[in-house]
Amino acid sequence: MDLVPGLKQLEGTLSLTADRITIIKSKLEDLLFRAQKISAAAKNNMKDNDTMYGYDLQNFRRDLRTFGMDISGLSGLLAGMERIAVYDAAAGKFATGVMRGASRVSNSMKTLHDMSLLAHQHIRQNDQKILAWYIAQEIEEMMQKCAGLPAIANKIVLACSTEKPASPPPA
C-alpha cells in the first residue's frame, strides 16, 4: 500500500472508531443514568419500574465485545503504516491527521473507562453489579490497547516529516 492513500484510509478508520466510541459512551451514559435512578429508588424504599435494565446491560456488553474485536486491530494497522513510512512532504499533513485521530481514540477510551467504573459503583443488584464489573474490565483492556496508539502515530509523523541526512562523501 502506498503511504499517502494508506494514511488517508487510516485517518478515516481512526475517525470512525472515535465516533463509535462516542456512540458507546452515550449508551453507557444512558445505562449510568438509569442505574442512578434505580439506586435512588432503592435508597428511598420506592419501587423500581425499570425491568429491562439487566437485559439492556447484557446487550451493551455483547455490543462492547464486538467493538473490542474491531478496536484490537488498530495497533496493527498503525504499526504496519509505521514500517512503510518514509519522508514525504505530502504525507506530513495526513500523518498529523492520523496522530490527532489516535489521540482522540485514546482519550475517548480513557473517558469511557472512567464512566464504566462510575456506572459499576451505582448498580445495586448483585448480578448486574457483576456484569457491570465485567464491562468495566473489558473497557479497561480496550483502553490499554489504545494507550500506545499516539506513540506509534508520533513515530509515523516523525518518519514522514524528517528527511534522512545525506551520507557524507567518502574521504
Side-chain angles (χ1 to χ4, degrees), residues 97-110:
V98 167
M99 175 73 174
R100 282 191 300 272
S103 296
R104 184 176 164 209
V105 166
S106 179
N107 291 336
S108 296
M109 283 306 298
K110 287 177 188 173

Side-chain angles (χ1 to χ4, degrees), residues 54-157:
Y55 179 73
D56 291 341
L57 201 60
Q58 288 175 350
N59 281 337
F60 178 75
R61 183 174 183 215
R62 186 192 64 225
D63 294 343
L64 187 67
R65 293 181 87 179
T66 303
F67 177 67
M69 296 301 219
D70 295 340
I71 209 166
S72 64
L74 286 178
S75 60
L77 290 173
L78 278 168
M81 194 55 60
E82 178 192 358
R83 282 191 289 278
I84 65 168
V86 293
Y87 173 73
D88 186 359
K93 72 175 185 172
F94 297 112
T96 56
V98 167
M99 175 73 174
R100 282 191 300 272
S103 296
R104 184 176 164 209
V105 166
S106 179
N107 291 336
S108 296
M109 283 306 298
K110 287 177 188 173
T111 305
L112 185 66
H113 180 251
D114 292 341
M115 189 177 290
S116 70
L117 290 175
L118 189 62
H120 172 261
Q121 290 174 352
H122 282 284
I123 294 175
R124 296 286 180 221
Q125 290 184 352
N126 289 336
D127 55 341
Q128 293 174 358
K129 193 162 187 78
I130 291 169
L131 189 59
W133 179 249
Y134 286 139
I135 288 171
Q137 293 299 308
E138 289 169 5
I139 291 175
E140 182 178 3
E141 184 180 322
M142 285 187 269
M143 180 192 72
Q144 290 173 348
K145 287 179 184 177
C146 292
L149 296 181
I152 298 171
N154 188 38
K155 290 178 184 179
I156 295 171
V157 170

